[in-house]
Amino acid sequence: MKHLAERARQVIPGGVNSGQRSIPGLTDLVITEAAGARFRDSQGREYVDYHAAFGPPLLGHNDPDVGAAVAEAGRTVDLCGVGVTAGEVELAETLAELVPSVEKVLLTSTGSEATFHALRVARAATGRRLVVKFQGCYHGWHDAVSLNVISAPEKVGTHDPISTGILPEVLEATLVLPFNDEQAVRRAFAEHGDDIAAVILEPVPHNVGCLLPEQEFLRTLREECTRAGSVLIFDEVITGFRHHLGGWQAISGITPDLTTMGKAIANGYPVGALGGRADLMELFSSRPGGPAFFAGTYNGHPAVVAAALATLRKLREEPVHEHVFRLGERIRTGLAEVFASLDIPALVSGYGSVFVGYFMTGPARTYDDLLRNDANMFIGYRRRLLEHGIFELPLNLKRSHVSYAHTDADVDHLLESAATAAELARGDVLDLTGASTMGGADAHR
Ligand SMILES: Cc1ncc(COP(=O)(O)O)c(C=O)c1O
């Protein structure tokens, strides 16, 4: 019988259902089982999973409490596409209670839909054209934000779309600035302030690993947006619930006007959310007469709402954050020691449950700093970790995650394996095609 991966390539472009799931060197990966901190493939290989599907399963794969809540929802309600369910009300109340900026909230199925609608309503509210984003931040697949994530060095400072097929006028309406650079923000507002509808950012740019935000930078964004009447959007799709139940805004004390959420909110079930100031949220057409059209057949689906409620309940009631923060810290400290003992230049960054070992010297404040990262070593090290049954996504600059299901023994195994993997990776010379920048736009230029 043909291998499933081969059959997949016959009928699915590239054999996978999302960009960056097909990994050079691992194109035959067929997942057959996932539980806790591990997944298995069709060849019987088992991996300790630090990739974590780009971030959702903070409790671990197939969490039994979340699964039970979903099953229970399936026995009682179903999607009816009219009115509201008790679960949706409870989830909205919970989000309003937990997340400082959220006065009202709407549910979507994905993070991309949440950021799309955040920008739409910002333009609706302000009547303005421009959106500001930051080099290295990812906000989903839609046109306004599909640019300047993992850019090649020569593309930094230019518009660098991650896709073809986007109208140039849409790309031109997005200004791209360097992260953690308040002078660049002040200049942009001085020049274009009257026409800036929104500033959108990952408060911690985790789509390039982990650049920690400087408090002065976040304060400047808040100040300039307030002064110019622009909408400040924190995209907390990764940071929300994972770093704090109230997101990075609860940690930093800087409150945005709108917040987008997803990923860890429902431990892997498809839920996104957009919440914020009531006057902005009331512009959506879920309120009759609201001018900003908002819809989605699956929004607020009872099964995924049940998953979100069960996830948030467990995050509140059990010492999840305490556990993942402790293991995350052990890994960051341990890896820094391993690389130092081998005289390998490395900077281990991260926060809480997130870690990433860059192979470079010096600080990581902005995307420009990350251009010093040795991509060959970064990817090679992770390919070598696979030989130890450890999965950290072997693509340049990707972050790794710890879940509630990971144990101290898993961390011991990672730290022991890291030394061998790093030592061997030092000698590897790789073909980095498809593993070092993001998007396919280059191929068509
Ligand atoms: C910060 C951030 N925002 C938005 C998105 C888009 O979310 P989704 O993939 O659920 O559409 C992602 C996805 O990785 C993300 O990391």
Side-chain angles (χ1 to χ4, degrees), residues 158-217:
T158 69
H159 273 82
D160 180 29
I162 61 176
S163 176
T164 54
I166 303 176
L167 291 172
E169 47 270 46
V170 174
L171 293 171
E172 282 155 18
T174 301
L175 306 178
V176 182
L177 302 182
F179 194 78
N180 267 338
D181 185 342
E182 51 269 25
Q183 291 316 319
V185 171
R186 293 211 192 275
R187 278 197 301 274
F189 270 93
E191 205 173 323
H192 305 286
D194 290 352
D195 203 17
I196 295 177
V199 173
I200 186 167
L201 70 151
E202 291 181 72
V204 183
H206 276 312
N207 277 284
V208 288
C210 181
L211 298 175
L212 287 170
E214 287 159 10
Q215 194 66 9
E216 192 48 37
F217 174 68

Short mmCIF file of all heavy atoms in Angstrom, two decimals, residues 158-217:
data_model
loop_
_atom_site.label_atom_id
_atom_site.label_comp_id
_atom_site.label_asym_id
_atom_site.label_seq_id
_atom_site.Cartn_x
_atom_site.Cartn_y
_atom_site.Cartn_z
N THR A 158 11.76 46.83 3.61
CA THR A 158 10.91 46.96 2.42
C THR A 158 9.61 46.21 2.70
O THR A 158 9.52 45.45 3.67
CB THR A 158 11.55 46.30 1.18
OG1 THR A 158 11.55 44.87 1.37
CG2 THR A 158 12.98 46.77 0.99
N HIS A 159 8.59 46.37 1.88
CA HIS A 159 7.40 45.55 2.01
C HIS A 159 7.75 44.14 1.52
O HIS A 159 8.19 43.97 0.40
CB HIS A 159 6.26 46.13 1.17
CG HIS A 159 5.47 47.15 1.92
ND1 HIS A 159 5.87 48.45 2.03
CD2 HIS A 159 4.32 47.05 2.63
CE1 HIS A 159 4.99 49.12 2.77
NE2 HIS A 159 4.04 48.30 3.15
N ASP A 160 7.56 43.17 2.39
CA ASP A 160 7.97 41.80 2.07
C ASP A 160 6.78 40.85 2.23
O ASP A 160 6.64 40.19 3.27
CB ASP A 160 9.12 41.39 3.01
CG ASP A 160 9.61 39.98 2.75
OD1 ASP A 160 9.50 39.51 1.59
OD2 ASP A 160 10.07 39.32 3.70
N PRO A 161 5.90 40.79 1.21
CA PRO A 161 4.71 39.95 1.35
C PRO A 161 5.07 38.48 1.50
O PRO A 161 6.04 38.01 0.92
CB PRO A 161 3.95 40.20 0.05
CG PRO A 161 4.93 40.78 -0.90
CD PRO A 161 5.99 41.47 -0.08
N ILE A 162 4.27 37.74 2.30
CA ILE A 162 4.51 36.30 2.45
C ILE A 162 3.70 35.52 1.42
O ILE A 162 3.72 34.30 1.41
CB ILE A 162 4.19 35.81 3.88
CG1 ILE A 162 2.72 36.03 4.24
CG2 ILE A 162 5.08 36.46 4.89
CD1 ILE A 162 2.34 35.46 5.61
N SER A 163 2.98 36.25 0.56
CA SER A 163 2.18 35.58 -0.45
C SER A 163 2.12 36.45 -1.69
O SER A 163 2.23 37.67 -1.60
CB SER A 163 0.76 35.36 0.08
OG SER A 163 -0.06 34.79 -0.91
N THR A 164 1.93 35.81 -2.81
CA THR A 164 1.55 36.56 -4.00
C THR A 164 0.02 36.67 -4.00
O THR A 164 -0.66 36.08 -3.16
CB THR A 164 2.01 35.86 -5.29
OG1 THR A 164 1.50 34.53 -5.26
CG2 THR A 164 3.52 35.82 -5.37
N GLY A 165 -0.51 37.43 -4.94
CA GLY A 165 -1.97 37.52 -5.06
C GLY A 165 -2.58 38.57 -4.18
O GLY A 165 -3.80 38.59 -3.99
N ILE A 166 -1.78 39.44 -3.60
CA ILE A 166 -2.31 40.52 -2.75
C ILE A 166 -2.24 41.82 -3.54
O ILE A 166 -1.22 42.13 -4.17
CB ILE A 166 -1.49 40.66 -1.46
CG1 ILE A 166 -1.47 39.33 -0.69
CG2 ILE A 166 -2.05 41.77 -0.57
CD1 ILE A 166 -0.61 39.34 0.56
N LEU A 167 -3.33 42.60 -3.53
CA LEU A 167 -3.32 43.87 -4.23
C LEU A 167 -2.25 44.78 -3.64
O LEU A 167 -2.17 44.93 -2.42
CB LEU A 167 -4.68 44.56 -4.08
CG LEU A 167 -5.87 43.91 -4.80
CD1 LEU A 167 -7.17 44.60 -4.41
CD2 LEU A 167 -5.67 43.94 -6.31
N PRO A 168 -1.43 45.40 -4.50
CA PRO A 168 -0.37 46.27 -3.97
C PRO A 168 -0.93 47.39 -3.09
O PRO A 168 -0.31 47.77 -2.10
CB PRO A 168 0.30 46.85 -5.21
CG PRO A 168 -0.39 46.27 -6.39
CD PRO A 168 -1.41 45.29 -5.95
N GLU A 169 -2.12 47.88 -3.40
CA GLU A 169 -2.66 48.98 -2.59
C GLU A 169 -3.00 48.51 -1.17
O GLU A 169 -3.00 49.32 -0.23
CB GLU A 169 -3.85 49.68 -3.26
CG GLU A 169 -4.93 48.82 -3.83
CD GLU A 169 -4.69 48.45 -5.30
OE1 GLU A 169 -3.54 48.05 -5.63
OE2 GLU A 169 -5.64 48.50 -6.09
N VAL A 170 -3.30 47.22 -1.03
CA VAL A 170 -3.54 46.69 0.33
C VAL A 170 -2.22 46.65 1.11
O VAL A 170 -2.15 47.08 2.26
CB VAL A 170 -4.19 45.29 0.27
CG1 VAL A 170 -4.31 44.69 1.67
CG2 VAL A 170 -5.56 45.37 -0.39
N LEU A 171 -1.18 46.16 0.46
CA LEU A 171 0.13 46.09 1.13
C LEU A 171 0.61 47.50 1.47
O LEU A 171 1.15 47.74 2.56
CB LEU A 171 1.15 45.40 0.23
CG LEU A 171 0.90 43.91 -0.04
CD1 LEU A 171 1.84 43.39 -1.11
CD2 LEU A 171 1.05 43.10 1.25
N GLU A 172 0.38 48.43 0.54
CA GLU A 172 0.87 49.80 0.77
C GLU A 172 0.15 50.48 1.93
O GLU A 172 0.69 51.42 2.53
CB GLU A 172 0.71 50.64 -0.51
CG GLU A 172 1.80 50.35 -1.53
CD GLU A 172 1.37 50.66 -2.97
OE1 GLU A 172 0.37 51.39 -3.15
OE2 GLU A 172 2.02 50.14 -3.88
N ALA A 173 -1.03 50.00 2.25
CA ALA A 173 -1.77 50.60 3.37
C ALA A 173 -1.30 50.06 4.72
O ALA A 173 -1.83 50.43 5.76
CB ALA A 173 -3.26 50.36 3.20
N THR A 174 -0.32 49.16 4.71
CA THR A 174 0.27 48.67 5.96
C THR A 174 1.69 49.21 6.09
O THR A 174 2.53 48.98 5.23
CB THR A 174 0.29 47.12 5.99
OG1 THR A 174 -1.05 46.65 5.86
CG2 THR A 174 0.87 46.61 7.30
N LEU A 175 1.93 49.94 7.17
CA LEU A 175 3.28 50.43 7.45
C LEU A 175 3.97 49.40 8.33
O LEU A 175 3.38 48.93 9.30
CB LEU A 175 3.24 51.76 8.20
CG LEU A 175 2.45 52.92 7.59
CD1 LEU A 175 2.51 54.14 8.52
CD2 LEU A 175 2.98 53.28 6.22
N VAL A 176 5.21 49.07 8.00
CA VAL A 176 5.95 48.09 8.80
C VAL A 176 7.07 48.79 9.55
O VAL A 176 7.91 49.45 8.93
CB VAL A 176 6.53 46.97 7.91
CG1 VAL A 176 7.25 45.94 8.77
CG2 VAL A 176 5.44 46.31 7.08
N LEU A 177 7.07 48.66 10.86
CA LEU A 177 8.08 49.32 11.69
C LEU A 177 8.89 48.29 12.46
O LEU A 177 8.42 47.17 12.68
CB LEU A 177 7.41 50.27 12.69
CG LEU A 177 6.51 51.37 12.13
CD1 LEU A 177 5.98 52.23 13.27
CD2 LEU A 177 7.23 52.23 11.12
N PRO A 178 10.11 48.67 12.88
CA PRO A 178 10.88 47.75 13.75
C PRO A 178 10.28 47.68 15.15
O PRO A 178 9.84 48.71 15.69
CB PRO A 178 12.29 48.38 13.78
CG PRO A 178 12.15 49.76 13.25
CD PRO A 178 10.85 49.89 12.54
N PHE A 179 10.28 46.49 15.73
CA PHE A 179 9.75 46.29 17.09
C PHE A 179 10.70 46.92 18.10
O PHE A 179 11.90 47.02 17.88
CB PHE A 179 9.60 44.78 17.35
CG PHE A 179 8.78 44.46 18.56
CD1 PHE A 179 7.40 44.53 18.50
CD2 PHE A 179 9.38 44.10 19.76
CE1 PHE A 179 6.62 44.26 19.62
CE2 PHE A 179 8.61 43.81 20.88
CZ PHE A 179 7.23 43.90 20.81
N ASN A 180 10.15 47.33 19.24
CA ASN A 180 10.93 47.91 20.34
C ASN A 180 11.63 49.20 19.94
O ASN A 180 12.67 49.53 20.51
CB ASN A 180 11.99 46.91 20.86
CG ASN A 180 11.46 46.08 22.02
OD1 ASN A 180 10.52 46.47 22.71
ND2 ASN A 180 12.06 44.92 22.25
N ASP A 181 11.11 49.91 18.96
CA ASP A 181 11.74 51.14 18.49
C ASP A 181 10.75 52.29 18.62
O ASP A 181 10.00 52.59 17.69
CB ASP A 181 12.20 50.94 17.03
CG ASP A 181 12.99 52.14 16.51
OD1 ASP A 181 12.91 53.23 17.12
OD2 ASP A 181 13.68 51.98 15.49
N GLU A 182 10.74 52.92 19.79
CA GLU A 182 9.71 53.95 20.00
C GLU A 182 9.94 55.18 19.13
O GLU A 182 8.99 55.86 18.77
CB GLU A 182 9.51 54.30 21.48
CG GLU A 182 10.68 54.65 22.30
CD GLU A 182 11.32 53.46 23.01
OE1 GLU A 182 11.19 52.31 22.56
OE2 GLU A 182 11.99 53.71 24.02
N GLN A 183 11.20 55.42 18.75
CA GLN A 183 11.44 56.58 17.86
C GLN A 183 10.77 56.36 16.51
O GLN A 183 10.19 57.28 15.93
CB GLN A 183 12.95 56.80 17.67
CG GLN A 183 13.68 57.28 18.92
CD GLN A 183 12.90 58.38 19.67
OE1 GLN A 183 12.32 59.29 19.06
NE2 GLN A 183 12.84 58.29 20.99
N ALA A 184 10.86 55.13 16.00
CA ALA A 184 10.22 54.83 14.71
C ALA A 184 8.71 55.01 14.82
O ALA A 184 8.06 55.50 13.88
CB ALA A 184 10.56 53.40 14.28
N VAL A 185 8.15 54.64 15.98
CA VAL A 185 6.71 54.80 16.19
C VAL A 185 6.36 56.29 16.22
O VAL A 185 5.42 56.74 15.55
CB VAL A 185 6.28 54.12 17.51
CG1 VAL A 185 4.84 54.46 17.86
CG2 VAL A 185 6.47 52.60 17.41
N ARG A 186 7.15 57.06 16.94
CA ARG A 186 6.86 58.50 17.04
C ARG A 186 6.97 59.15 15.66
O ARG A 186 6.14 59.99 15.29
CB ARG A 186 7.82 59.17 18.03
CG ARG A 186 7.59 58.72 19.48
CD ARG A 186 7.92 59.81 20.48
NE ARG A 186 7.97 59.29 21.84
CZ ARG A 186 6.91 59.14 22.63
NH1 ARG A 186 5.70 59.45 22.20
NH2 ARG A 186 7.05 58.66 23.86
N ARG A 187 7.97 58.75 14.88
CA ARG A 187 8.13 59.32 13.52
C ARG A 187 6.92 58.97 12.66
O ARG A 187 6.38 59.82 11.94
CB ARG A 187 9.41 58.78 12.86
CG ARG A 187 10.67 59.53 13.28
CD ARG A 187 11.83 59.25 12.32
NE ARG A 187 12.16 57.83 12.23
CZ ARG A 187 12.99 57.21 13.08
NH1 ARG A 187 13.56 57.88 14.08
NH2 ARG A 187 13.26 55.92 12.95
N ALA A 188 6.48 57.70 12.73
CA ALA A 188 5.34 57.28 11.89
C ALA A 188 4.09 58.08 12.26
O ALA A 188 3.33 58.50 11.37
CB ALA A 188 5.09 55.78 12.07
N PHE A 189 3.89 58.30 13.56
CA PHE A 189 2.70 59.07 13.96
C PHE A 189 2.84 60.54 13.59
O PHE A 189 1.86 61.18 13.21
CB PHE A 189 2.44 58.90 15.47
CG PHE A 189 1.55 57.72 15.75
CD1 PHE A 189 2.08 56.48 16.04
CD2 PHE A 189 0.16 57.86 15.69
CE1 PHE A 189 1.25 55.38 16.27
CE2 PHE A 189 -0.67 56.77 15.93
CZ PHE A 189 -0.12 55.53 16.22
N ALA A 190 4.07 61.06 13.67
CA ALA A 190 4.26 62.47 13.29
C ALA A 190 3.93 62.65 11.82
O ALA A 190 3.32 63.65 11.42
CB ALA A 190 5.71 62.88 13.58
N GLU A 191 4.29 61.68 11.03
CA GLU A 191 4.10 61.80 9.58
C GLU A 191 2.69 61.42 9.13
O GLU A 191 2.11 62.05 8.26
CB GLU A 191 5.13 60.89 8.89
CG GLU A 191 5.48 61.34 7.48
CD GLU A 191 6.63 60.50 6.93
OE1 GLU A 191 7.55 60.16 7.73
OE2 GLU A 191 6.59 60.17 5.74
N HIS A 192 2.13 60.34 9.74
CA HIS A 192 0.88 59.76 9.20
C HIS A 192 -0.24 59.70 10.23
O HIS A 192 -1.28 59.07 9.96
CB HIS A 192 1.12 58.32 8.72
CG HIS A 192 2.20 58.16 7.72
ND1 HIS A 192 2.07 58.55 6.41
CD2 HIS A 192 3.45 57.64 7.85
CE1 HIS A 192 3.20 58.28 5.77
NE2 HIS A 192 4.05 57.73 6.61
N GLY A 193 -0.03 60.26 11.42
CA GLY A 193 -0.96 60.06 12.54
C GLY A 193 -2.43 60.21 12.18
O GLY A 193 -3.27 59.41 12.61
N ASP A 194 -2.73 61.20 11.33
CA ASP A 194 -4.14 61.45 10.98
C ASP A 194 -4.75 60.33 10.18
O ASP A 194 -5.97 60.29 10.00
CB ASP A 194 -4.24 62.72 10.10
CG ASP A 194 -3.93 63.95 10.91
OD1 ASP A 194 -3.80 63.80 12.14
OD2 ASP A 194 -3.80 65.04 10.31
N ASP A 195 -3.90 59.49 9.61
CA ASP A 195 -4.43 58.44 8.74
C ASP A 195 -4.18 57.04 9.29
O ASP A 195 -4.39 56.05 8.60
CB ASP A 195 -3.84 58.59 7.33
CG ASP A 195 -4.75 57.94 6.29
OD1 ASP A 195 -5.94 57.69 6.59
OD2 ASP A 195 -4.26 57.64 5.18
N ILE A 196 -3.71 56.94 10.54
CA ILE A 196 -3.46 55.60 11.11
C ILE A 196 -4.73 55.10 11.82
O ILE A 196 -5.13 55.66 12.84
CB ILE A 196 -2.25 55.60 12.07
CG1 ILE A 196 -0.97 55.92 11.28
CG2 ILE A 196 -2.11 54.25 12.79
CD1 ILE A 196 0.29 56.02 12.12
N ALA A 197 -5.34 54.08 11.27
CA ALA A 197 -6.55 53.50 11.88
C ALA A 197 -6.17 52.65 13.08
O ALA A 197 -6.85 52.69 14.11
CB ALA A 197 -7.30 52.66 10.86
N ALA A 198 -5.10 51.87 12.92
CA ALA A 198 -4.78 50.90 13.98
C ALA A 198 -3.30 50.59 14.01
O ALA A 198 -2.61 50.65 12.99
CB ALA A 198 -5.55 49.61 13.74
N VAL A 199 -2.84 50.24 15.20
CA VAL A 199 -1.51 49.64 15.39
C VAL A 199 -1.77 48.24 15.93
O VAL A 199 -2.47 48.08 16.95
CB VAL A 199 -0.67 50.44 16.40
CG1 VAL A 199 0.63 49.72 16.70
CG2 VAL A 199 -0.40 51.84 15.88
N ILE A 200 -1.24 47.25 15.24
CA ILE A 200 -1.43 45.86 15.70
C ILE A 200 -0.06 45.26 16.00
O ILE A 200 0.90 45.47 15.25
CB ILE A 200 -2.22 45.02 14.67
CG1 ILE A 200 -2.53 43.63 15.24
CG2 ILE A 200 -1.50 44.91 13.32
CD1 ILE A 200 -3.56 42.84 14.43
N LEU A 201 0.03 44.56 17.12
CA LEU A 201 1.30 43.91 17.46
C LEU A 201 1.06 42.65 18.27
O LEU A 201 0.03 42.53 18.95
CB LEU A 201 2.20 44.85 18.26
CG LEU A 201 1.77 45.18 19.69
CD1 LEU A 201 2.99 45.46 20.55
CD2 LEU A 201 0.83 46.37 19.71
N GLU A 202 2.00 41.72 18.16
CA GLU A 202 2.10 40.67 19.17
C GLU A 202 2.86 41.34 20.31
O GLU A 202 4.01 41.75 20.12
CB GLU A 202 2.96 39.52 18.66
CG GLU A 202 2.39 38.68 17.55
CD GLU A 202 3.37 37.56 17.20
OE1 GLU A 202 3.52 36.61 17.99
OE2 GLU A 202 4.00 37.64 16.14
N PRO A 203 2.28 41.45 21.50
CA PRO A 203 3.02 42.13 22.56
C PRO A 203 4.36 41.46 22.84
O PRO A 203 5.31 42.12 23.25
CB PRO A 203 2.09 42.08 23.76
CG PRO A 203 0.95 41.20 23.40
CD PRO A 203 0.93 41.06 21.92
N VAL A 204 4.43 40.16 22.60
CA VAL A 204 5.72 39.46 22.56
C VAL A 204 5.78 38.79 21.18
O VAL A 204 5.03 37.85 20.93
CB VAL A 204 5.82 38.37 23.65
CG1 VAL A 204 7.21 37.73 23.62
CG2 VAL A 204 5.51 38.93 25.03
N PRO A 205 6.64 39.28 20.29
CA PRO A 205 6.69 38.66 18.96
C PRO A 205 7.22 37.23 19.02
O PRO A 205 8.41 36.98 18.91
CB PRO A 205 7.62 39.59 18.17
CG PRO A 205 7.56 40.88 18.89
CD PRO A 205 7.44 40.50 20.35
N HIS A 206 6.30 36.29 19.17
CA HIS A 206 6.68 34.89 19.30
C HIS A 206 6.77 34.18 17.95
O HIS A 206 7.19 33.03 17.90
CB HIS A 206 5.65 34.15 20.17
CG HIS A 206 5.89 34.29 21.64
ND1 HIS A 206 7.14 34.10 22.22
CD2 HIS A 206 5.06 34.58 22.67
CE1 HIS A 206 7.05 34.26 23.54
NE2 HIS A 206 5.81 34.57 23.83
N ASN A 207 6.35 34.86 16.90
CA ASN A 207 6.47 34.20 15.59
C ASN A 207 7.89 34.25 15.06
O ASN A 207 8.19 33.67 14.01
CB ASN A 207 5.47 34.77 14.60
CG ASN A 207 4.11 34.10 14.78
OD1 ASN A 207 3.91 32.96 14.36
ND2 ASN A 207 3.18 34.77 15.45
N VAL A 208 8.78 34.91 15.79
CA VAL A 208 10.21 34.82 15.50
C VAL A 208 10.95 34.32 16.74
O VAL A 208 12.08 34.70 16.98
CB VAL A 208 10.78 36.18 15.01
CG1 VAL A 208 10.29 36.47 13.60
CG2 VAL A 208 10.40 37.32 15.96
N GLY A 209 10.28 33.48 17.51
CA GLY A 209 10.89 32.95 18.73
C GLY A 209 10.39 33.72 19.93
O GLY A 209 9.26 33.54 20.39
N CYS A 210 11.20 34.65 20.41
CA CYS A 210 10.76 35.48 21.54
C CYS A 210 11.57 36.77 21.63
O CYS A 210 12.74 36.73 22.03
CB CYS A 210 10.90 34.70 22.86
SG CYS A 210 10.35 35.66 24.29
N LEU A 211 10.95 37.87 21.21
CA LEU A 211 11.53 39.20 21.46
C LEU A 211 10.72 39.79 22.60
O LEU A 211 9.53 40.02 22.45
CB LEU A 211 11.40 40.09 20.22
CG LEU A 211 12.09 39.66 18.93
CD1 LEU A 211 11.73 40.61 17.79
CD2 LEU A 211 13.60 39.60 19.11
N LEU A 212 11.36 40.03 23.72
CA LEU A 212 10.58 40.57 24.85
C LEU A 212 10.37 42.07 24.65
O LEU A 212 11.29 42.79 24.26
CB LEU A 212 11.31 40.30 26.16
CG LEU A 212 11.24 38.82 26.60
CD1 LEU A 212 12.17 38.56 27.77
CD2 LEU A 212 9.81 38.39 26.94
N PRO A 213 9.16 42.55 24.88
CA PRO A 213 8.88 43.97 24.65
C PRO A 213 9.44 44.83 25.77
O PRO A 213 9.38 44.45 26.94
CB PRO A 213 7.34 44.02 24.68
CG PRO A 213 6.96 42.92 25.60
CD PRO A 213 7.99 41.84 25.43
N GLU A 214 9.98 45.98 25.39
CA GLU A 214 10.40 46.93 26.42
C GLU A 214 9.18 47.74 26.83
O GLU A 214 8.36 48.12 26.00
CB GLU A 214 11.52 47.81 25.87
CG GLU A 214 12.81 47.00 25.77
CD GLU A 214 13.83 47.57 24.81
OE1 GLU A 214 13.65 48.72 24.34
OE2 GLU A 214 14.82 46.85 24.52
N GLN A 215 9.08 47.95 28.13
CA GLN A 215 7.90 48.61 28.68
C GLN A 215 7.71 50.00 28.08
O GLN A 215 6.59 50.42 27.77
CB GLN A 215 8.07 48.67 30.21
CG GLN A 215 6.82 49.01 30.97
CD GLN A 215 5.73 47.93 30.89
OE1 GLN A 215 5.95 46.82 30.38
NE2 GLN A 215 4.55 48.27 31.36
N GLU A 216 8.82 50.69 27.83
CA GLU A 216 8.75 52.04 27.26
C GLU A 216 8.15 52.00 25.85
O GLU A 216 7.43 52.91 25.43
CB GLU A 216 10.17 52.63 27.24
CG GLU A 216 10.25 54.11 26.95
CD GLU A 216 9.28 54.96 27.77
OE1 GLU A 216 9.05 54.64 28.96
OE2 GLU A 216 8.73 55.94 27.21
N PHE A 217 8.45 50.94 25.13
CA PHE A 217 7.90 50.78 23.78
C PHE A 217 6.38 50.63 23.84
O PHE A 217 5.64 51.31 23.12
CB PHE A 217 8.56 49.55 23.13
CG PHE A 217 7.98 49.18 21.79
CD1 PHE A 217 8.15 50.01 20.70
CD2 PHE A 217 7.27 47.99 21.63
CE1 PHE A 217 7.63 49.67 19.45
CE2 PHE A 217 6.74 47.64 20.40
CZ PHE A 217 6.92 48.48 19.31
#
